[in-house]
Amino acid sequence: MPEVRVDPLTGLKTIVAAERAARPGGWQIAGDAAPIDPAADPFAPGHEDQTPAEVYADRTEGSNADGPGWRVRVVPNLYPALSADGAEPERSHAPDLFTATAAHGAHEVIINAPDAVTSLAQLTVEQVTAAMEVWRARMRAHAEAGAAYVHVLVNERVEGGASLPHTHAQLYAMDFVPAQIARERERFTAHATRTMGGNLLQDLVAEEVRQRERLIAIDDEAVLLSPYAARLPYQLLLAPRRPRARFEDDGPLGAALLHDGLNRLGRVLGFLPPLNIWVRTAPRGAEHFCWRIDVLPRLTHLAGLELGTGVHLNIVAPEQAAAQLRKA
């Protein structure tokens, strides 16, 4: 029977209704990705002149900036949503109703590897680790420069919002804390108060490991779960074994388990799905928090329920997804 579940971390509600998976047109909106045309790939080695000048790179010794020889490369977004020098908009005649400020911040593209592949899953574990080390380095740089929140995400394939197929991440350094992240900060704080200092995510992980219904895999660095109130089929949550507030601080990355989880998805589904990945890290002012990585495969459409109410409808029970992914 369908049930409404509440995400312990966000407070958001999901209707889990596995029976709806059988309805016509209710399942899988994608298949295998088309191969990348190297000649048209602006992120390919040798095409560095097709991007803005790099601001950071992990390079082989002796290679030159803005040329081949890089392992991970960071450039400003050619069409930035945030910038350091944005002009303030004109003051509204009704400021209580219409509020706007300049979109200050930074917007970067992190090219995860020189390989012409569409997914992190198609890289080696070592390459995913190198990419995530650069995510961390750029997050740290912007946090130290005063950003209120730094959001790193990976969109894979057109269905996941990627405008270019070559695997890459985007970084948004914001001068404000988004409302959803502020809400999560409040939930971590409330849990710490209620439990005399407990960490919400780590207490959640401990209970999931004890129950094992939604546990997918675990290694020395991290735990991989199918979240209790997963919003979409086969959603994944990766959390560190020991609580750490900020992803950008030194410590485990969880790269091997992330790579493993993405490949498990590919084996269960028979193809690598379009998806969205993001790193949730502690925002400015957070005394109690723990970083995590969310992975949302885009296998069903977001429609009027999700967009109109914020309530998601998941047609694969997290326990079923976890069982399949454990076996993969």
Side-chain angles (χ1 to χ4, degrees), residues 163-325:
S163 56
L164 292 170
H166 190 130
T167 179
H168 65 282
Q170 295 188 64
L171 178 149
Y172 292 82
M174 307 175 186
D175 67 353
F176 62 94
V177 177
Q180 183 169 321
I181 289 89
R183 184 180 185 183
E184 292 181 24
R185 178 179 60 192
E186 292 167 1
R187 293 180 73 85
F188 271 86
T189 300
H191 181 83
T193 301
R194 186 171 61 251
T195 60
M196 303 293 288
N199 184 283
L200 175 58
L201 181 52
Q202 290 307 297
D203 288 350
L204 173 64
V205 165
E207 183 61 22
E208 291 285 21
V209 170
R210 187 186 69 79
Q211 293 186 14
R212 296 190 173 269
E213 287 184 292
R214 291 172 292 275
L215 177 67
I216 298 168
I218 188 167
D219 66 12
D220 291 340
E221 292 191 353
V223 176
L224 188 67
L225 304 171
S226 180
Y228 171 71
R231 286 176 274 176
L232 294 173
Y234 300 99
Q235 180 178 341
L236 306 177
L237 184 152
L238 185 148
R241 286 282 297 270
R242 286 163 288 280
R244 305 185 68 87
R246 293 170 177 80
F247 179 82
E248 56 267 32
D249 292 343
D250 290 337
L253 287 164
L257 203 55
L258 176 61
H259 183 266
D260 177 44
L262 297 178
N263 279 284
R264 285 173 187 262
L265 280 172
R267 289 193 290 272
V268 166
L269 298 171
F271 64 96
L272 292 173
L275 50 79
N276 304 110
I277 303 171
W278 60 81
V279 178
R280 179 71 85 236
T281 190
R284 185 167 62 192
E287 294 183 22
H288 306 279
F289 211 82
C290 181
W291 69 261
R292 70 178 187 274
I293 296 175
D294 291 307
V295 180
L296 272 73
R298 301 297 294 271
L299 298 168
T300 55
H301 294 283
L302 299 183
L305 176 68
E306 294 84 357
L307 299 174
T309 68
V311 176
H312 280 69
L313 179 60
N314 186 353
I315 60 174
V316 177
E319 295 77 15
Q320 175 190 342
Q324 292 178 275
L325 291 163

Side-chain angles (χ1 to χ4, degrees), residues 40 47 50 57 81 95-96 99 102 127 134 191 221 231 259 316 318 322:
H47 292 179
Q50 297 182 27
D96 291 341
T99 302
Q127 287 177 302
V134 173
H191 181 83
E221 292 191 353
R231 286 176 274 176
H259 183 266
V316 177

Side-chain angles (χ1 to χ4, degrees), residues 33-45:
I36 296 174
D37 177 5
D41 181 6
F43 294 161

